[in-house]
Amino acid sequence: AVNRTPEIQAARLKLPVCGEEQTIMEAIRNNTVVIICGETGSGKTTQVPQFLYEAGWSHPDSDNPGLIGVTQPRRVATVSMAKRVAQELNLTDKEVSHQIRYDATVSAKTRIKFMTDGVLLREMSQDLLLTKYSTIIIDEAHERNLNTDILIGVVSRVLKLRAELSREDREKIKPLRVVIMSATLRVSDFTENKTLFPVVPPVINVNARQYPVAIHFNKKTPLDHVGEAYKKITKIHERLPNGGILVFLTGQNEINQLCKQLRKRYPALPPKATKKQVKKEEQAVELESKQVNEPAGKADIEDEALELGDNQVEEDFDLESDDDDDDIAEGFEDEELEDVKDAPLHVLPLYSMLPTEAQLRVFEPPPEGTRLCVIATNVAETSVTIPGVRYVVDCGKSKERKYDIETGVQSFEIDWTSQASAGQRAGRAGRTGPGHCYRLFSSAVFDNEFEKFSTPEIHRMPIEGVVLSMKSMNIDNVVNFPFPTPPPRESLFKAEKLLGYLGAVNTTTKRITGFGQTMSLFPITPRFAKMLIIGQQHGCLPFVIAIVSALSVGDPFIQDYHLDENQPEDSDDEDVGRRELHNINSESVAEKERRKLVRKKYYSSQMKHAGLDPSSDILKLLNVVGAYEYAGATASFCEDNFLRPKAMEEIRKLRRQLTNLVSSNFPDVDVCLDPKMKPPNAVQLKVLRQVLTAGFIDSVAIRQDVLETGGGKGVRYKNSRNVVYKLLWSDEEAFIHPSSVLYSQEPPAMLVYSELYKGGKTWLKGVTAVESK
Ligand code: ADP
Ligand code: MG
């Protein structure tokens, strides 16, 4: 029934996973959950769906007529793997289909369906039992994305349901099978979790042949990893024997930049091969065979030590480089290839936004006489295997979705990957023979700054965001949800309660409300999302967007000029001077005078921004965000106003992003980013204070004397110094922080705060007075 071409047949036979076909199919027949672990490139993604297909699964007349579903965390692999499997089976994309958010080839004839895990989760909110499917293969489980984790949890419940229902009526409902596939990393989170899988699922290890890879650390860690990668590639290409080069960078722009540089230096069109070149190639082959015979060495960090005392021959590089003397550390020492500068290099980019056709080019053999060089993001780490790679150049970094645990803001940041990821990357060089991995960072950085494993996404996200996403997928019981690595129950419970306060979740049914659905569209913490949605009256939205952006990024004011927070009582300038003198005894009088002036300027700038509405620190923030934009978002504005330029820039970016999100999600709301935004009028200020109160409804503090008089007037105070507040839900004592605009005024009876600061006493920061009716 399966009609593969001889080439495909031959290529399949070489894949380690094909040696385990019997074991795998037997395990799937006898168990509801099976875990398959294997090195990247061993054939899991392309072959396991075919095993099922060939055994008759998904055939309408078989015992298991449902679709074979395969989930992927990344779109790039979803599309390219579906294509590859269709090609291997000699079928069309109607039969082996893919579905990603904005694109699908699914048809009535579909037998195997590749999709992102997000797509399957959305499907499940309509069809929880996954009745369309006979098998769900969850791929790349080691990546531990939030969606993958949630999917594994939900599916573990569906398995039980499907089993029960099929016992009642085997004709109508068949049991479901689940296959979890992972690179060789931490499977114990899945196997040793009894809540998730009460019966320990069998783990099939696919032993792939992995040749040794010599690891070469840089002596120093350069800031410009793109430039460093360029240098390293030229050295490899010009001095080392045949073999593909795979380079890991962090993103599209870097990749395109490097591709351009490399193509310029090594033009794609090979100049006519001269005799000299042919000879060089012969030499290269010779050298290569020599190289294979010598042990390529383990991950020898000693390479770094080797370099000491050894003098090496400086070779002729086009690029000046100040640290070329670590050649030995890089494993270039015994190469005596002549200069082959003009040999062509077949440079290909690989990142997720690249069109599929372009992505698939990395699998084709490079043109005769050229060397393949793929510049990729971490898609090439485990999701996509490029044949013939012998050298890996790893910048050690990746662009990752980051969350601010406090504010829930998502951003994409470039940071070190984990040691486990670096290991995966290095492993790419040892698929076809011994290889080399060049790390563009030092072993000290690797040892001290890389985490062992990357933390599962669920533990990097603010919990109320996780809970809201799950509710938006109609998963109501989050507290008892079988997560592979569950967050603390207490924090799940608290998050659910907060969502109740905010109106995102119905407090009795625990189900998401329409309002909550809207909130879940924003990449910010639910409380800020709420402010955005309710802040649409009286033309307040642009202000609310600015406020939410500022709150999300965090206080942009430089704090150095504040008083010692532990001793707010002595709040005069002299005290600050005294504190500083602890450190700088020899400070000159003139210097002190200068500082005094600076502090004066600081306070007057603070007063200026507070002037808008002296009853809220947050409105002071709004004022400063508006003024910054009005002044052209310049660095000098930041300097004059004691602002952190980076924070202001981030606020600005988030403002733009939120404005776009609001426009695209609420077509009838007309909002744009006005660089000359006028300050809010009196009515708007009132609305804004209400919006702030609603957003911080769980963070209320009441003056103790007012509480004691049962809501009466209480004592009259001139300012907030030593005035005791009680936190509404915990009854804890707290005080308005001296940095607040409210500090020097009559303290309000009730306020909401955006931040609690514990230092000696509990301080209330980011305060807004709640208006008495
Ligand atoms: P795993 O999932 O275990 O990492 P894969 O099934 O993705 O392994 O890959 C198995 C092999 O198939 C690899 O050697 C890879 O290079 C090859 N391969 C995957 N996609 C293609 C393609 N589109 N063209 C040619 N070869 C491919
Ligand atoms: Mg795979």
Side-chain angles (χ1 to χ4, degrees):
V2 175
N3 177 19
R4 298 189 183 91
T5 67
E7 291 89 344
I8 295 279
Q9 202 55 276
R12 288 187 79 216
L13 283 181
K14 288 195 209 130
L15 293 175
V17 81
C18 289
E20 305 287 336
E21 178 168 358
Q22 296 307 324
T23 326
I24 289 172
M25 283 314 297
E26 205 174 293
I28 296 178
R29 282 194 196 95
N30 299 328
N31 299 273
T32 48
V33 187
V34 173
I35 297 176
I36 302 177
C37 261
E39 283 297 340
T40 304
S42 54
K44 301 180 299 296
T45 310
T46 52
Q47 305 308 315
V48 175
Q50 295 188 58
F51 298 164
L52 284 154
Y53 177 86
E54 222 170 340
W57 294 58
S58 81
H59 194 281
D61 298 332
S62 76
D63 259 357
N64 301 288
L67 296 181
I68 300 164
V70 187
T71 71
Q72 295 285 333
R74 300 160 185 282
R75 273 178 294 194
V76 42
T78 310
V79 181
S80 64
M81 292 298 141
K83 273 220 155 116
R84 174 63 179 177
V85 172
Q87 187 198 0
E88 290 198 15
L89 286 171
N90 242 323
L91 295 173
T92 65
D93 64 3
K94 296 276 161 275
E95 290 139 315
V96 181
S97 317
H98 72 254
Q99 182 175 352
I100 57 180
R101 189 142 191 195
Y102 300 107
D103 175 32
T105 61
V106 185
S107 75
K109 287 207 278 182
T110 300
R111 304 276 302 272
I112 302 177
K113 174 172 160 186
F114 281 81
M115 66 205 120
T116 52
D117 33 27
V119 161
L120 189 62
L121 279 170
R122 262 190 300 277
E123 262 182 38
M124 291 184 82
S125 59
Q126 304 304 317
D127 172 22
L128 179 67
L129 286 179
L130 289 169
T131 45
K132 274 200 297 210
Y133 298 92
S134 61
T135 328
I136 297 292
I137 300 175
I138 300 177
D139 203 2
E140 312 283 358
H142 62 270
E143 281 201 20
R144 304 303 305 278
N145 294 15
L146 179 65
N147 278 346
T148 313
D149 270 17
I150 294 178
L151 193 58
I152 293 176
V154 205
V155 159
S156 78
R157 287 307 174 263
V158 176
L159 276 174
K160 223 170 101 193
L161 284 173
R162 279 268 290 259
E164 281 162 14
L165 288 170
S166 97
R167 244 175 269 129
E168 284 164 23
D169 187 352
R170 173 78 214 192
E171 273 314 293
K172 244 175 79 198
I173 296 187
K174 315 280 181 187
L176 179 72
R177 289 287 186 269
V178 172
V179 181
I180 297 177
M181 305 205 291
S182 162
T184 46
L185 289 172
R186 279 200 301 186
V187 220
S188 57
D189 283 349
F190 307 128
T191 53
E192 282 161 22
N193 182 335
K194 293 278 183 205
T195 336
L196 188 60
F197 300 125
V199 179
V200 179
V203 179
I204 298 171
N205 282 300
V206 179
N207 292 317
R209 176 124 197 240
Q210 174 71 38
Y211 294 90
V213 175
I215 310 268
H216 311 277
F217 284 97
N218 256 29
K219 258 196 318 182
K220 285 177 261 166
T221 305
L223 283 176
D224 169 21
H225 59 245
V226 181
E228 186 71 11
Y230 177 84
K231 281 189 230 161
K232 203 71 72 175
I233 295 162
T234 57
K235 280 191 202 171
I236 294 172
H237 185 48
E238 292 177 10
R239 298 204 220 161
L240 297 186
N242 291 337
I245 308 173
L246 171 59
V247 185
F248 287 98
L249 294 184
T250 70
Q252 188 174 338
N253 290 344
E254 285 179 8
I255 291 175
N256 286 334
Q257 179 198 337
L258 185 57
C259 283
K260 214 162 113 194
Q261 278 177 302
L262 286 168
R263 284 178 180 146
K264 195 162 154 224
R265 175 146 175 172
Y266 307 106
L269 275 185
K272 276 231 167 73
T274 60
K275 260 195 195 140
K276 198 174 154 222
Q277 262 181 324
V278 174
K279 195 162 161 246
K280 270 180 217 158
E281 260 158 36
E282 280 164 3
Q283 274 179 326
V285 172
E286 222 178 82
L287 252 169
E288 181 170 26
S289 51
K290 217 164 70 193
Q291 166 115 1
V292 173
N293 290 336
E294 65 193 48
K298 285 154 228 75
D300 39 9
I301 303 166
E302 299 105 79
D303 273 7
E304 261 188 38
L306 259 182
E307 166 269 349
L308 287 170
D310 260 307
N311 60 334
Q312 54 252 189
V313 196
E314 246 308 302
E315 292 195 42
D316 176 27
F317 290 120
D318 261 3
L319 255 186
E320 291 303 282
S321 142
D322 46 359
D323 57 359
D324 273 346
D325 56 314
D326 52 9
D327 277 4
I328 291 223
E330 295 162 358
F332 291 118
E333 74 284 15
D334 42 41
E335 304 300 338
E336 273 152 36
L337 278 182
E338 264 180 62
D339 206 78
V340 279
K341 266 197 187 71
D342 43 3
L345 191 65
H346 186 57
V347 182
L348 295 174
L350 181 65
Y351 48 82
S352 56
M353 297 315 285
L354 205 64
T356 316
E357 295 314 318
Q359 284 169 7
L360 292 176
R361 281 169 62 203
V362 303
F363 295 109
E364 292 161 15
E368 194 83 23
T370 68
R371 187 203 288 269
L372 179 67
C373 178
V374 177
I375 322 281
T377 57
N378 51 359
V379 288
E381 199 173 295
T382 58
S383 347
V384 170
T385 313
I386 299 148
V389 171
R390 193 165 159 197
Y391 307 98
V392 163
V393 175
D394 179 12
C395 77
K397 294 185 172 171
S398 65
K399 198 186 279 176
E400 263 210 19
R401 198 207 302 268
K402 286 258 156 79
Y403 304 89
D404 185 303
I405 286 285
E406 289 294 315
T407 63
V409 178
Q410 295 179 23
S411 57
F412 283 89
E413 274 176 38
I414 295 172
D415 204 350
W416 296 120
T417 60
S418 62
Q419 295 187 350
S421 286
Q424 287 290 331
R425 291 179 176 190
R428 303 303 96 239
R431 300 299 306 157
T432 37
H436 292 266
C437 172
Y438 299 93
R439 292 183 168 163
L440 307 181
F441 45 90
S442 70
S443 61
V445 166
F446 178 79
D447 291 339
N448 303 326
E449 292 178 39
F450 279 50
E451 289 177 86
K452 272 224 145 43
F453 295 100
S454 21
T455 318
E457 191 174 29
I458 193 165
H459 295 297
R460 290 187 278 121
M461 272 181 83
I463 196 76
E464 56 273 14
V466 173
V467 173
L468 188 61
S469 309
M470 291 175 70
K471 299 272 180 187
S472 76
M473 299 167 190
N474 290 329
I475 299 169
D476 299 324
N477 189 350
V478 290
V479 176
N480 293 314
F481 187 81
F483 296 98
T485 45
R489 274 175 72 95
E490 183 55 28
S491 46
L492 287 166
F493 190 70
K494 265 179 43 197
E496 199 170 52
K497 219 163 129 187
L498 171 65
L499 293 173
Y501 283 143
L502 294 175
V505 164
N506 180 308
T507 42
T508 38
T509 63
K510 305 274 185 243
R511 306 200 66 159
I512 192 162
T513 60
F515 191 65
Q517 286 291 7
T518 315
M519 283 168 68
S520 72
L521 298 173
F522 293 97
I524 45 179
T525 195
R527 85 165 79 248
F528 296 158
K530 175 176 182 168
M531 293 189 206
L532 274 187
I533 300 167
I534 63 172
Q536 304 190 7
Q537 338 148 33
H538 300 286
C540 279
L541 197 54
F543 302 124
V544 179
I545 290 177
I547 288 175
V548 162
S549 306
L551 283 172
S552 297
V553 169
D555 194 351
F557 287 101
I558 296 166
Q559 294 290 326
D560 295 7
Y561 301 94
H562 278 312
L563 316 165
D564 189 330
E565 282 154 350
N566 290 318
Q567 293 152 24
E569 286 83 2
D570 312 313
S571 61
D572 51 330
D573 285 357
E574 295 316 313
D575 183 57
V576 181
R578 199 177 68 209
R579 182 172 54 109
E580 283 162 355
L581 279 176
H582 280 303
N583 304 326
I584 322 161
N585 284 319
S586 59
E587 197 179 45
S588 72
V589 181
E591 175 66 9
K592 260 201 282 186
E593 279 308 308
R594 195 191 62 80
R595 283 180 175 243
K596 220 168 176 169
L597 279 175
V598 169
R599 267 194 304 276
K600 264 219 176 84
K601 195 173 157 208
Y602 172 74
Y603 282 110
S604 81
S605 122
Q606 290 281 306
M607 290 318 291
K608 190 178 76 204
H609 293 303
L612 180 63
D613 182 335
S615 67
S616 171
D617 291 320
I618 314 270
L619 295 173
K620 178 181 88 181
L621 263 184
L622 170 63
N623 194 40
V624 93
V625 170
Y628 169 70
E629 198 69 47
Y630 194 93
T634 59
S636 65
F637 180 88
C638 293
E639 201 179 316
D640 291 344
N641 291 278
F642 302 88
L643 293 160
R644 290 185 291 129
K646 188 155 173 282
M648 292 309 289
E649 197 40 51
E650 275 171 36
I651 293 173
R652 195 161 183 238
K653 266 201 226 138
L654 192 56
R655 250 182 102 185
R656 204 173 308 135
Q657 189 193 355
L658 290 178
T659 308
N660 292 339
L661 261 173
V662 170
S663 325
S664 56
N665 283 308
F666 306 98
D668 41 319
V669 176
D670 182 28
V671 59
C672 62
L673 218 165
D674 178 7
K676 304 279 167 190
M677 182 170 77
K678 287 201 190 65
N681 59 34
V683 178
Q684 289 170 327
L685 279 175
K686 200 176 156 121
V687 174
L688 290 176
R689 273 196 305 268
Q690 285 163 0
V691 167
L692 287 166
T693 307
F696 290 107
I697 195 68
D698 59 327
S699 310
V700 178
I702 302 181
R703 239 168 63 194
Q704 187 176 35
D705 57 291
V706 174
L707 266 181
E708 277 162 2
T709 55
K713 279 236 157 55
V715 190
R716 286 204 72 88
Y717 293 109
K718 264 195 13 239
N719 61 35
S720 300
R721 183 184 293 189
N722 290 331
V723 175
V724 182
Y725 279 84
K726 282 276 171 107
L727 305 189
L728 193 55
W729 312 108
S730 71
D731 219 30
E732 195 179 333
E733 256 185 25
F735 300 84
I736 294 179
H737 191 265
S739 68
S740 170
V741 296
L742 274 78
Y743 188 69
S744 53
Q745 304 175 39
E746 188 188 345
M750 199 195 294
L751 55 79
V752 290
Y753 54 89
S754 66
E755 198 186 327
L756 277 187
Y757 176 85
K758 309 221 170 174
K761 298 174 183 173
T762 298
W763 299 105
L764 304 162
K765 283 181 141 183
V767 170
T768 301
V770 175
E771 266 171 87
S772 45
K773 305 259 158 58

